[in-house]
Amino acid sequence: MQQEADTGSEHVIVVGAGLAGLAVALRLHRKGVKSVVVLESSPALRASGYAITTWANAFRALDALGVGNKIRKRHQQIQGVPHHEARRVRRDLLVQALEEELPEGTIRYSSKVVSIQEDVGSAAKIIHLADGSVLRAKVLIGCDGVNSVVAKWLGLAKPSDSGRLATRGIALYPDGHCFQPKFLQFIGQGFRFGFVPCNEADIYWFYTWSPPKNEADDCANESGAKVKQQVLDKLRSSKVPMEALEVVERSEMSDDAPAAPLRFRPPLSLLLASISKGNVCVAGDALHPMTPDIGQGGCSALEDGYVVGFLQQSDNAVVSFLREKVLAGVLARTLVKMADYDCGTL
């Protein structure tokens, strides 16, 4: 049965409890905004994605959010990147660190957004959920990934397909491993494989390849066990060292999209697009999905969350003008940020 809209109050609604969504919510919380609700379609906090490369720009955002040192303590500094802070951070530990800083009840799980409507007579947006409930949003921020409902409402085109698939994993070494905290990579015929330690006990690895177009859908629907075996077979035939093979062998592969297509949104496609409209905007992968080649997807999502959180809640006349008249154009021209970018103190 459909529930009536919550007409007694309006909320700042963030769609998606990923990196960008949690960063937005935490930034608003730090600024004293009390009416923040994060809608997450999953029944629990999503820890998929395994790990992200977290550069100096991301740590500046994490420090501003108050969780930087918590993350540093559990992850090693990557060697061979002079003058830059870089760590491979387990995604589950990162989202947990952000979630722990939010007031209890901020995240509403099993809350899948199915449609968005204008509220006639006001600037509020009416948010319809799959369970039939309805919420009013005084501000709506879409952080709901590459298949964003909010981005679709704004009229953004679907992300482009790179033609590549990726599978990833975390190898567990309870007694410690022998690898230095350095990035190691192997490039073979039609694939790229690499790994880097997160800490003394966990190693993140990835494998990307370009299947024939007629096989891409089949690959994406394979079980985790089968994808893992295919990766091992390919690596063995390419004479990858046994130590590297063991990294994959020690990993458990989930059946939840073990071979994921790599998608991106070309920055030029956003020049004439509406990435914000009134009190609605998008951030993170909902705005600028990118391939992992430059290691900035997660970093940019954290930066987005910190900066968008400030801009959306401010009543300052200058900030309001920038938010509504200039923000879309500026973001469209600066989507791919340098790893040493300083988001500053807002």
Side-chain angles (χ1 to χ4, degrees):
M1 184 191 321
Q2 181 162 319
Q3 301 175 22
E4 294 183 0
D6 180 5
T7 55
S9 61
E10 295 181 352
H11 307 279
V12 175
I13 291 183
V14 180
V15 184
L19 295 180
L22 293 174
V24 166
L26 183 52
R27 175 58 178 164
L28 292 171
H29 170 62
R30 296 283 193 231
K31 296 297 291 186
V33 180
K34 304 297 185 183
S35 59
V36 180
V37 175
V38 180
L39 302 178
E40 170 55 45
S41 60
S42 301
L45 199 64
R46 290 174 294 145
S48 61
Y50 297 102
I52 66 168
T53 301
T54 308
W55 295 86
N57 58 327
F59 271 108
R60 290 191 178 105
L62 291 172
D63 285 337
L65 293 170
V67 298
N69 286 335
K70 184 186 295 188
I71 298 302
R72 288 185 180 94
K73 290 177 181 178
R74 304 186 70 173
H75 299 87
Q76 295 174 316
Q77 167 77 21
I78 298 175
Q79 298 176 3
V81 213
H83 312 301
H84 288 273
E85 180 174 18
R87 302 169 194 268
R88 196 74 198 189
V89 173
R90 283 183 50 154
R91 189 182 183 280
D92 58 346
L93 299 181
L94 181 51
V95 295
Q96 287 167 14
L98 293 169
E99 186 267 345
E100 287 169 358
E101 298 296 315
L102 291 170
E104 186 176 354
T106 299
I107 304 174
R108 177 170 168 171
Y109 294 105
S110 300
S111 298
K112 180 178 176 60
V113 175
V114 294
S115 67
I116 303 165
Q117 290 180 317
E118 299 277 2
D119 185 26
V120 179
S122 79
K125 299 298 179 289
I126 305 300
I127 312 301
H128 296 266
L129 305 183
D131 65 2
S133 58
V134 183
L135 296 174
R136 290 169 58 88
K138 60 182 176 184
V139 173
L140 177 61
I141 306 171
C143 303
D144 44 342
V146 294
N147 298 313
S148 170
V149 175
V150 181
K152 184 178 180 180
W153 185 86
L154 287 170
L156 294 182
K158 289 184 178 181
S160 301
D161 191 342
S162 69
R164 292 186 291 157
L165 298 178
T167 188
R168 310 167 177 91
I170 295 284
L172 305 179
Y173 291 76
D175 299 322
H177 55 74
C178 62
F179 295 101
Q180 294 296 312
K182 295 181 178 180
F183 182 80
L184 299 175
Q185 180 171 258
F186 302 87
I187 299 177
Q189 187 172 359
F191 75 88
R192 188 159 66 99
F193 167 68
F195 60 91
V196 61
C198 299
N199 48 47
E200 294 85 355
D202 306 326
I203 295 179
Y204 165 83
W205 63 268
F206 71 88
Y207 179 91
T208 65
W209 75 104
S210 301
K213 289 185 178 180
N214 61 336
E215 297 180 10
D217 289 341
D218 291 338
C219 291
N221 293 322
E222 296 285 9
S223 68
K226 188 167 184 179
V227 170
K228 176 180 176 179
Q229 189 58 53
Q230 290 171 345
V231 170
L232 287 170
D233 291 344
K234 186 67 174 181
L235 295 180
R236 289 191 182 103
S237 67
S238 301
K239 299 181 180 179
V240 170
M242 288 300 299
E243 295 86 349
L245 288 174
E246 184 184 10
V247 171
V248 179
E249 289 171 341
R250 279 179 172 266
S251 307
E252 291 187 5
M253 299 287 293
S254 167
D255 288 334
D256 182 17
L262 296 178
R263 299 190 176 98
F264 67 99
R265 181 170 281 130
L268 290 178
S269 72
L270 293 173
L271 285 176
L272 300 177
S274 296
I275 66 173
S276 66
K277 187 185 299 182
N279 56 353
V280 181
C281 73
V282 283
D285 282 350
L287 170 60
H288 48 61
M290 58 185 78
T291 63
D293 304 278
I294 61 172
Q296 277 293 307
C299 299
S300 296
L302 291 168
E303 284 186 322
D304 289 352
Y306 179 75
V307 176
V308 171
F310 167 75
L311 291 172
Q312 285 295 333
Q313 68 90 35
S314 177
D315 291 327
N316 179 275
V318 175
V319 173
S320 297
F321 174 81
L322 292 173
R323 176 180 64 218
E324 296 169 10
K325 304 298 182 182
V326 182
L327 179 61
V330 171
L331 285 180
R333 290 191 297 271
T334 58
L335 285 178
V336 181
K337 302 174 177 68
M338 297 300 292
D340 198 34
Y341 177 73
D342 188 347
C343 64
T345 301
L346 299 177

